[in-house]
Amino acid sequence: QEEDSLITFFNSENLTHKLLAINGFSSLQGAKNISKITEKLKDSNIDIKAAAAYVIGQIGDSSHVDLLIESFKGQDSLNIDNIFNHNVLEAIGKIGSTDEAEKIATVTTYRPTDSLLTLGQIRSLYRFCTRGIVPNQSIETSIKYLEDRRYKITVRQMAAQLLSRSKDIDLSPYADRLLSILNKEKDVAIKISLTNALSKAKSESVKSKLITSALGNEDYRIRVNAIKSLSNYKEELMVLDTLRPLITNPSIALAESYADLLTSATAVGM
């Protein structure tokens, strides 16, 4: 009944009513009238098409991934850097497979000025990563965006989030590049995410950087993440001793993070 009520507004002459009705399907898992949404991928209004793409991703039915791919206007000579293509890319990340992840990750033709396409690409790869799909090229693309400050800050922040949130990946081969990015970076959100990502890149240079960050004067969230990332080295007495002043730090977050590190080290027999 709720679906039927929403559908009655699909042909409304009022654009706002139509958009609200389409977006209303985003919370309806297993919607029976999904075909009414997919039809809107061909709508002449870009906002309607973009809303439809978003909703298809939210509903989460992988059988519609081919429709999304077909609707992607990659050959549109007028303007491919638009909100519709952005939403299509992100939606594919919510329902696509490893094959689609690899194809999106290997696209290298998007320019820094293609702000919506690059954001759509990295959001798509981020959505894949939250589903446990992280092809190596996703890591390469994320690092490329982080290294090149011509890309929008929102793109670079999402790239850092992808590296931070991805599970069961080894960033050790990228340790030097990540440290170089981190040492030059000014954006706090990126630094917080990258510091957490360094927990997946074990090396002496990474360990040194994390210790410096933990004891430094940076944003406390960066310092907390540095302490947590040092869990890779919790069996090294030197690390624990070097960080020991943190136990009396006036910041509860820092003191507790060190205490947690110390507790985990004790648990493994230190």
Side-chain angles (χ1 to χ4, degrees):
Q1 186 174 0
E2 184 177 358
E3 288 186 39
D4 293 337
S5 298
L6 291 171
I7 289 173
T8 60
F9 289 96
F10 274 26
N11 295 317
S12 171
E13 293 184 4
N14 186 303
L15 179 61
T16 300
H17 291 170
K18 190 183 295 187
L19 285 170
L20 287 172
I22 293 172
N23 283 317
F25 271 80
S26 64
S27 60
L28 300 179
Q29 295 294 323
K32 294 178 293 185
N33 294 293
I34 185 65
S35 61
K36 298 292 185 180
I37 299 293
T38 58
E39 289 172 3
K40 297 301 180 184
L41 291 173
K42 299 179 181 179
D43 199 276
S44 59
N45 184 287
I46 192 168
D47 292 324
I48 294 295
K49 295 197 298 183
Y54 167 77
V55 169
I56 291 169
Q58 286 297 101
I59 290 174
D61 187 342
S62 61
S63 68
H64 295 107
V65 70
D66 288 340
L67 278 175
L68 289 170
I69 293 172
E70 290 169 9
S71 69
F72 185 83
K73 298 299 184 181
Q75 301 302 315
D76 188 337
S77 60
L78 295 177
N79 178 27
I80 64 170
D81 185 42
N82 57 57
I83 189 60
F84 173 61
N85 283 341
H86 165 283
N87 283 10
V88 168
L89 286 169
E90 184 171 10
I92 293 172
K94 295 175 182 177
I95 64 175
S97 65
T98 301
D99 184 53
E100 282 81 45
E102 291 175 346
K103 288 177 180 177
I104 290 175
T106 52
V107 174
T108 58
T109 54
Y110 299 156
R111 302 162 299 179
T113 52
D114 294 328
S115 56
L116 285 170
L117 280 176
T118 50
L119 186 58
Q121 181 190 32
I122 199 64
R123 280 182 172 166
S124 179
L125 298 178
Y126 176 80
R127 297 296 185 181
F128 276 115
C129 104
T130 61
R131 297 167 51 224
I133 302 173
V134 190
N136 287 336
Q137 194 58 41
S138 286
I139 299 173
E140 286 284 357
T141 298
S142 297
I143 293 177
K144 178 188 76 172
Y145 285 158
L146 285 164
E147 288 177 328
D148 192 338
R149 284 164 179 74
R150 292 179 301 164
Y151 290 99
K152 295 288 186 181
I153 189 65
T154 49
V155 173
R156 299 180 65 248
Q157 287 173 341
M158 187 57 66
Q161 273 286 320
L162 187 154
L163 297 177
S164 174
R165 289 286 300 277
S166 294
K167 297 179 180 178
D168 301 321
I169 61 172
D170 181 12
L171 294 178
S172 298
Y174 309 94
D176 290 343
R177 294 172 69 185
L178 291 173
L179 288 173
S180 177
I181 294 166
L182 192 53
N183 287 332
K184 299 173 185 176
E185 189 56 56
K186 302 298 182 183
D187 183 79
V188 172
I190 291 177
K191 295 176 75 172
I192 291 170
S193 294
L194 284 184
T195 301
N196 185 59
L198 286 180
S199 65
K200 301 151 192 170
K202 192 170 183 179
S203 74
E204 287 300 310
S205 55
V206 166
K207 178 174 69 175
S208 177
K209 173 62 178 178
L210 290 174
I211 291 174
T212 300
S213 295
L215 296 174
N217 296 313
E218 297 188 274
D219 185 294
Y220 83 94
R221 293 167 295 178
I222 297 172
R223 298 178 66 186
V224 165
N225 274 3
I227 298 167
K228 290 180 178 179
S229 291
L230 281 165
S231 62
N232 281 336
Y233 312 93
K234 62 189 174 186
E235 296 180 19
E236 297 184 26
L237 187 59
M238 180 277 290
V239 172
L240 299 176
D241 283 345
T242 303
L243 297 182
R244 195 170 298 278
L246 291 172
I247 199 66
T248 58
N249 194 285
S251 167
I252 294 176
L254 291 172
E256 285 186 345
S257 295
Y258 175 72
D260 288 343
L261 180 65
L262 198 60
T263 299
S264 63
T266 302
V268 295
M270 283 297 296

